[in-house]
Amino acid sequence: VELADGGRLIGAAELRVIDAANLCGEFGYSFHRDAWGQGYGPEAAGALIRQGFGAMGLHRIVATCDVRNRRSWRVMEKLGLRREALFRNDMRVKGRWRDTYLYAILLEEWQPRLELLPPPPAIASAMGEVGKPCARRLAAPKHRPWLQPKSAD
């Protein structure tokens, strides 16, 4: 994720297919400390969810986070994902076990929210919504074709 005004890199966000047969994807994001609390998380995650349910045709999208990362799980809840699981001591980070929350949302749960949420101005061009002003930009890496907006051929 980089800012449009100057292209400063502030983080990363990814959406990938984890179960093609069941149309399930997973997203994740990470931002530099200086970018925390400025709305970049919901903006990037919302754009990825839109892309997943839109161009990628997914049925279910999941995300995980460290249970201590309140800001991250609040982003997921704000976007309508529900907490489905708590995995106890499932990952070692810096030599210590940590717990993880699993969040998920289904296409039918997301569709009604589209009318309530304004389109994200910062990520519009990266997600194929041309003609809208961009304050920030999420660039889809070329080596991950599933993140590229579908062409209108």
Side-chain angles (χ1 to χ4, degrees):
V1 179
E2 60 184 33
L3 297 180
D5 59 349
R8 185 171 64 98
L9 185 65
I10 59 166
E14 177 184 36
L15 171 65
R16 62 190 177 99
V17 176
I18 58 171
D19 184 349
N22 291 303
L23 303 174
C24 184
E26 178 179 33
F27 74 87
Y29 47 83
S30 178
F31 290 92
H32 187 274
R33 248 179 233 276
D34 294 345
W36 292 358
Q38 297 181 43
Y40 297 118
E43 183 177 352
L48 293 174
I49 294 169
R50 277 187 171 91
Q51 183 75 2
F53 288 137
M56 293 172 68
L58 297 174
H59 169 72
R60 174 181 165 85
I61 298 176
V62 299
T64 61
C65 69
D66 186 320
V67 299
R68 297 168 298 176
N69 190 343
R70 179 177 170 80
R71 285 186 175 185
S72 188
W73 55 259
R74 286 294 299 138
V75 164
M76 293 182 229
E77 290 174 354
K78 179 179 182 177
L79 291 170
L81 283 81
R82 82 190 150 286
R83 188 180 301 166
E84 290 192 342
L86 165 64
F87 299 112
R88 300 282 317 225
N89 291 331
D90 70 320
M91 189 177 295
R92 280 182 76 87
V93 178
K94 297 181 182 175
R96 301 185 78 178
W97 289 105
R98 77 155 214 207
D99 296 343
T100 300
Y101 284 140
L102 171 75
Y103 280 82
I105 190 166
L106 300 173
L107 173 61
E108 64 253 23
E109 296 167 331
W110 178 254
Q111 284 173 325
R113 298 183 64 79
L114 284 177
E115 295 176 13
L116 301 174
L117 299 172
I123 299 180
S125 67
M127 293 298 133
E129 297 174 35
V130 254
K132 295 187 179 172
C134 253
R136 303 173 229 180
R137 182 177 70 238
L138 171 66
K142 291 184 180 12
H143 66 281
R144 298 178 193 258
W146 60 89
L147 290 177
Q148 299 297 330
K150 285 190 176 178
S151 61
D153 10 288

